Amino acid sequence: MGLQPLEFSDCYTDSPWFRQSIQEHEESLSRTNNDIKGLVKESKNLLSASIDYGKKLESFSKRLKEFTFSSIGENMTDREKNLTSSLKEYGHIFDEIASVWQTNIEETKKHFYEPLEEFRKTQLQAYKEQKKKFDKSSEQYYKLLQNTLSLSHKKKVELLQEQDKELFFTKSNFHGQALDYVFMLQEIQEKKKFEFVEIFTQLMKTYFKCYHEGQRLAVEQDGYISRTEEQLEAAKAETEDARNKADTLMRRMKTNPADVQFMNGRWSRCGYLYITNNHSGVRLTSKWSRLFCTYNKESKLFQHAQPFQTSSSSVLPTGRTQNSSSAASVQMDTCMVIRCVGRNTDTIDKRFCFDLEVEELADGSIRTMTCQAISDDDRRQWMNVMDGIVPEHSRETKDTKRDEGEMGIQFQFDEMGFKLLDNIIGEIERRGVDSEGIYRISGVMSRVEQLISQSINPATTNSVDFSNEDEVDFTTLTSSLKLCFRGMEEPVCTYRIHNGFIEASKHPDPKIRFEKIMRCVRQLPEANRRALKVLTHHLYKVTQHQDVNRMGFSNLGVVFGPTLLRQKQETMSSIMEIKFCNATVEIFIERYEELFYDGDGTPKKQQKATNFVRLPSQRVKRRGQLLQGNWETLSQWGSLTENAEDLNNSTTRNSSTPVSTGGSGDLICLDSQEDLANLPSTFQQPRFQRSKAFRSHDKPVVHRVPPGTSGARGKL
């Protein structure tokens, strides 16, 4: 299970789950750091022990293939899966080239070992300094909070005001440090994927120069490496876009902390309260316990839990211990609220207090709890949500605020809107979609807004000349197309179906994933589906020139993903799911002919993908499955005999299942003449012992084994 996203709103609630998630992130970084230390150790051996290189390379390859990342969220996109599995695929490359070695240690050290050590020191350990600040501010705040709440109301007003002021600044500093720390943890967790993979990508490029058959390997692996680099660029763009959105969200929450929605609306109210138990109006103990409390207004359920313990184990109420890394380590006590009554300072020697009369769900007993909020405003909000009874002389009026929204450009899917889309797309395609970085380069926003405003205004629409390149440059056109969709109040893939697209994109089976996305597309309103069809058809044309404009499916997905799909409320969870929005748009573009029907109701036939790249691990299996990844097996190639009977026996001993059977005997099939050329001469000889009728170069090479030969089944 992946790591949970760290919500900025949790920095204000500071719930036990929030502290637990932070600890899980820290443990993940620590594990990654330890794993990288292991790789660093192995790389040192690789650089210094050229004589024993083969065995060290095998050990290094094994560790590389076993290396795993901790991801945020429960699902990953195909691009993330490819990036995280690329280390395993690189390990297969090392397996393939392990038999050939040509020394070039200094260049390897420069391009691999030093960047790897620098990555571990600068990236994975950068959070420790911020962690110290966060822990220190947390300790200061709760210590000061304890002291402040312990003050009697009989103290001088000036003293109380001064103490409250100091508490306010300490609390603001604590929340600021928490936000900075959460932001840093999120950033490091995301950046470590592509930056770490990027180091190994450079390692692959360097090692191609170090092998006797480097040219052949470079040609074979160039497709996979290039695709990985393209995915790295797309991952960088996704991460940068998510970082910018997260930074904007964090700044907005710093500016307006009162607008924070606690725990994504899971409860009506949550936060820390200081609680002591009463019986018949008599306080049973003078001890006040700080508990994290939640309340659901519909069910009237009141729950509270002990603060999360940062030690390796926590003591449960029954006396049992439980590991802190477990998801169930936070224990909740639940009761039902019967009545909530405020307390005046003349009835209790504490401020911000109120009484709760609750019923225990376990045994049905009734008891009273006295709760102390952390401020007067906090008490008022708790009592409001619980419909509490406020003493007459302490009633206060509540001010209401109304947010003022900003009205954006009113582009709609009406006659004028579709006319604008046709004009913009038509002019872009007329000028050519082979410009490098098309849709990456932004135009002047004032010109873009003016062009759209004039085009959708019936009074001025006929005066707009899209073909005038002096007044409407190319970047203005491309930016206008993006802003048309981005400026809409509701995205083209509506809020109602948004979750359907995201869940479909998360499905591991590509076939089922596409079928679910197709069903979601059919649920869109007719105008939205028409607009999506027009846009994706145009973007598909753009990808046909990706060798020149450098805008493939992944790059266009990064540009249009957050534009076509977005959630109504922006949170860290929604920001972390932008990658699935991008993946969905990639499918829109790549398979648009299947998503959108012709006029007669029949789907267009989708062209087969031409950018297929065979994985390194698939190449290793394709060349020969007799290689088991050890040097003893490699040394046995020359001991094979040259006659057909020995060939059949050897394939039986080293193979588990036949390729295919049929006719009068079993078959050993090779995909191409290239496969045959890569085999030892022993395996090639039977071909020239056959009749000329079996030597066609237009058909796969087939070796037929006589049906009477015992143990004849085998494959290569």
Side-chain angles (χ1 to χ4, degrees):
M1 183 176 178
L3 299 173
Q4 293 296 324
L6 297 174
E7 294 290 345
F8 288 133
S9 60
D10 291 343
C11 296
Y12 293 89
T13 60
D14 194 23
S15 67
W17 299 275
F18 172 62
R19 291 298 183 114
Q20 181 178 356
S21 297
I22 286 182
Q23 183 170 328
E24 290 173 353
H25 278 259
E26 293 170 350
E27 292 174 352
S28 171
L29 292 177
S30 178
R31 288 193 301 269
T32 303
N33 186 39
N34 293 334
D35 290 340
I36 294 179
K37 285 182 179 179
L39 290 176
V40 171
K41 179 179 178 181
E42 295 298 340
S43 65
K44 288 181 179 179
N45 295 332
L46 185 62
L47 293 170
S48 60
S50 58
I51 296 177
D52 200 23
Y53 170 75
K55 294 181 180 180
K56 294 298 180 183
L57 181 60
E58 187 176 41
S59 175
F60 181 76
S61 172
K62 181 180 179 180
R63 184 180 291 273
L64 187 60
K65 289 186 289 185
E66 292 176 352
F67 188 86
T68 57
F69 286 115
S70 296
S71 60
I72 298 179
E74 299 180 357
N75 302 92
M76 292 191 297
T77 62
D78 288 345
R79 177 162 46 250
E80 286 182 312
K81 293 178 182 178
N82 292 335
L83 288 178
T84 54
S85 66
S86 61
L87 298 183
K88 297 181 181 179
E89 299 300 333
Y90 291 153
H92 286 292
I93 296 179
F94 278 104
D95 286 339
E96 187 179 3
I97 64 178
S99 61
V100 183
W101 171 242
Q102 188 179 21
T103 306
N104 195 346
I105 301 299
E106 291 300 324
E107 189 172 357
T108 303
K109 180 179 179 181
K110 177 181 178 181
H111 292 287
F112 169 63
Y113 172 71
E114 293 177 354
L116 182 62
E117 183 69 13
E118 184 70 12
F119 172 82
R120 185 181 68 86
K121 292 181 179 179
T122 59
Q123 294 294 337
L124 296 183
Q125 296 184 352
Y127 75 96
K128 292 185 178 180
E129 189 66 25
Q130 185 63 34
K131 172 178 170 56
K132 294 180 181 178
K133 297 180 181 179
F134 169 71
D135 292 339
K136 183 177 180 181
S137 63
S138 176
E139 180 181 359
Q140 290 176 346
Y141 168 65
Y142 285 115
K143 183 177 181 180
L144 184 59
L145 178 61
Q146 179 73 37
N147 296 336
T148 303
L149 296 178
S150 299
L151 293 176
S152 172
H153 72 281
K154 299 179 181 179
K155 297 289 185 178
K156 292 183 179 181
V157 176
E158 293 79 9
L159 177 61
L160 294 176
Q161 291 178 348
E162 182 180 357
Q163 193 73 7
D164 290 345
K165 183 177 181 181
E166 183 181 359
L167 178 62
F168 172 79
F169 286 111
T170 305
K171 179 181 178 181
S172 299
N173 178 60
F174 166 58
H175 289 163
Q177 295 294 343
L179 289 169
D180 292 337
Y181 187 45
V182 166
F183 180 77
M184 176 175 288
L185 286 178
Q186 297 271 164
E187 183 179 17
I188 293 177
Q189 288 284 12
E190 285 301 300
K191 288 179 64 177
K192 71 180 183 182
K193 293 190 183 70
F194 62 80
E195 289 195 5
F196 192 65
V197 175
E198 188 174 24
I199 293 176
F200 278 91
T201 303
Q202 294 299 324
L203 173 65
M204 296 300 102
K205 288 187 174 181
T206 303
Y207 266 103
F208 284 146
K209 303 176 183 178
C210 304
Y211 298 103
H212 178 65
E213 297 181 1
Q215 182 61 32
R216 177 182 64 84
L217 293 174
V219 172
E220 290 183 352
Q221 308 299 347
D222 182 67
Y224 181 77
I225 299 299
S226 299
R227 191 186 70 174
T228 303
E229 288 184 323
E230 292 176 0
Q231 293 177 338
L232 282 170
E233 292 299 324
K236 287 181 182 180
E238 281 184 346
T239 303
E240 184 63 24
D241 183 56
R243 182 189 182 280
N244 293 335
K245 291 181 179 296
D247 182 68
T248 302
L249 179 61
M250 181 187 68
R251 294 178 184 276
R252 189 167 69 243
M253 287 192 172
K254 281 186 176 182
T255 305
N256 301 305
D259 295 340
V260 175
Q261 296 193 8
F262 299 109
M263 306 296 289
N264 297 325
R266 180 179 177 183
W267 295 299
S268 305
R269 182 69 181 169
C270 66
Y272 279 99
L273 293 173
Y274 286 79
I275 297 178
T276 184
N277 289 327
N278 297 342
H279 180 70
S280 300
V282 180
R283 190 187 305 171
L284 298 178
T285 176
S286 60
K287 182 180 179 181
W288 292 78
S289 301
R290 181 169 64 92
L291 302 175
F292 185 82
C293 304
T294 67
Y295 179 72
N296 189 299
K297 189 170 184 178
E298 294 181 358
S299 61
K300 293 188 177 182
L301 290 180
F302 181 78
Q303 296 176 303
H304 54 84
Q306 295 288 340
F308 179 73
Q309 302 296 328
T310 57
S311 58
S312 59
S313 63
S314 58
V315 180
L316 301 183
T318 57
R320 294 178 286 110
T321 59
Q322 184 169 337
N323 193 293
S324 62
S325 62
S326 172
S329 60
V330 179
Q331 300 296 315
M332 300 289 291
D333 292 335
T334 306
C335 55
M336 180 175 293
V337 175
I338 301 176
R339 188 175 60 167
C340 173
V341 181
R343 296 287 296 272
N344 293 327
T345 55
D346 56 354
T347 62
I348 189 172
D349 191 26
K350 295 285 185 181
R351 298 185 299 164
F352 321 137
C353 294
F354 58 94
D355 287 343
L356 289 181
E357 185 179 351
V358 298
E359 177 185 355
E360 294 290 346
L361 297 184
D363 55 7
S365 60
I366 306 297
R367 65 187 179 94
T368 302
M369 296 188 299
T370 299
C371 305
Q372 183 182 22
I374 61 176
S375 66
D376 188 57
D377 182 67
D378 185 43
R379 181 183 68 164
R380 183 170 59 252
Q381 294 185 33
W382 276 105
M383 294 188 64
N384 285 341
V385 77
M386 293 181 179
D387 298 326
I389 302 174
V390 183
E392 288 297 331
H393 62 274
S394 63
R395 295 184 185 273
E396 299 178 2
T397 59
K398 182 178 179 180
D399 296 332
T400 58
K401 298 181 180 179
R402 178 175 298 177
D403 297 332
E404 296 182 0
E406 295 182 359
M407 187 66 67
I409 297 176
Q410 296 300 307
F411 172 81
Q412 298 179 356
F413 294 141
D414 52 13
E415 181 180 355
M416 299 297 298
F418 282 108
K419 180 181 178 181
L420 174 59
L421 289 181
D422 294 338
N423 290 334
I424 294 177
I425 293 176
E427 183 61 24
I428 291 175
E429 295 178 355
R430 186 189 70 82
R431 299 188 189 185
V433 294
D434 53 358
S435 299
E436 183 174 354
I438 180 176
Y439 293 116
R440 281 283 193 189
I441 304 174
S442 300
V444 180
M445 187 55 61
S446 59
R447 295 184 179 180
V448 173
E449 293 177 350
Q450 181 181 6
L451 177 64
I452 298 177
S453 299
Q454 292 179 351
S455 301
I456 62 179
N457 187 352
T460 58
T461 181
N462 295 327
S463 62
V464 180
D465 185 6
F466 291 89
S467 61
N468 190 338
E469 299 185 11
D470 294 333
E471 295 183 1
V472 183
D473 56 19
F474 195 69
T475 57
T476 301
L477 288 172
T478 55
S479 298
S480 298
L481 183 60
K482 292 187 292 184
L483 188 59
C484 283
F485 290 93
R486 189 186 306 126
M488 299 181 64
E489 294 183 0
E490 185 175 18
V492 62
C493 298
T494 59
Y495 295 135
R496 182 177 62 87
I497 316 177
H498 176 84
N499 291 334
F501 281 110
I502 298 300
E503 292 303 320
S505 182
K506 291 179 180 180
H507 200 283
D509 189 334
K511 182 178 180 180
I512 300 178
R513 181 191 311 162
F514 175 73
E515 292 175 353
K516 289 188 173 183
I517 289 179
M518 178 179 287
R519 285 197 292 267
C520 291
V521 169
R522 293 176 181 175
Q523 295 176 21
L524 290 173
E526 181 63 30
N528 295 50
R529 188 164 62 251
R530 175 186 170 188
L532 187 61
K533 176 181 179 180
V534 172
L535 177 62
T536 52
H537 186 199
H538 164 68
L539 296 180
Y540 181 81
K541 294 180 181 179
V542 174
T543 60
Q544 304 307 301
H545 302 269
Q546 59 180 305
D547 293 338
V548 180
N549 58 35
R550 314 300 298 175
M551 294 299 290
F553 298 116
S554 59
N555 290 332
L556 288 175
V558 172
V559 173
F560 285 92
T563 298
L564 301 182
L565 295 100
R566 65 177 184 270
Q567 286 190 354
K568 196 169 186 178
Q569 179 183 355
E570 187 179 43
T571 62
M572 275 305 302
S573 298
S574 65
I575 293 176
M576 299 308 299
E577 286 188 344
I578 289 179
K579 55 190 178 184
F580 296 107
C581 299
N582 301 344
T584 303
V585 173
E586 290 181 34
I587 296 177
F588 286 167
I589 303 172
E590 186 175 5
R591 306 185 67 175
Y592 87 97
E593 291 181 329
E594 293 177 82
L595 286 172
F596 302 103
Y597 292 153
D598 286 329
D600 57 357
T602 58
K604 291 186 177 180
K605 192 178 276 188
Q606 180 72 14
Q607 297 179 354
K608 293 184 178 180
T610 58
N611 57 347
F612 172 76
V613 178
R614 189 180 297 274
L615 297 177
S617 56
Q618 294 173 332
R619 291 183 181 274
V620 173
K621 295 179 182 179
R622 188 173 172 227
R623 277 211 182 81
Q625 297 189 2
L626 297 178
L627 296 176
Q628 301 299 323
N630 55 71
W631 301 104
E632 289 73 19
T633 305
L634 290 173
S635 62
Q636 294 176 1
W637 278 100
S639 63
L640 299 177
T641 57
E642 298 182 357
N643 56 75
E645 182 177 358
D646 290 338
L647 170 63
N648 298 332
N649 293 334
S650 64
T651 55
T652 303
R653 287 192 301 269
N654 294 277
S655 302
S656 57
T657 56
V659 175
S660 61
T661 59
S664 60
D666 294 335
L667 301 179
I668 301 175
C669 298
L670 303 176
D671 293 341
S672 64
Q673 296 293 333
E674 178 186 356
D675 291 341
L676 183 63
N678 291 328
L679 295 176
S681 58
T682 304
F683 288 92
Q684 300 180 27
Q685 288 181 2
R687 172 175 176 255
F688 299 102
Q689 296 173 3
R690 306 288 295 173
S691 170
K692 291 184 178 181
F694 294 90
R695 301 183 188 176
S696 173
H697 296 283
D698 298 329
K699 300 178 179 179
V701 181
V702 177
H703 299 292
R704 186 171 298 280
V705 183
T709 305
S710 61
R713 288 180 176 245
K715 73 170 183 178
L716 185 66

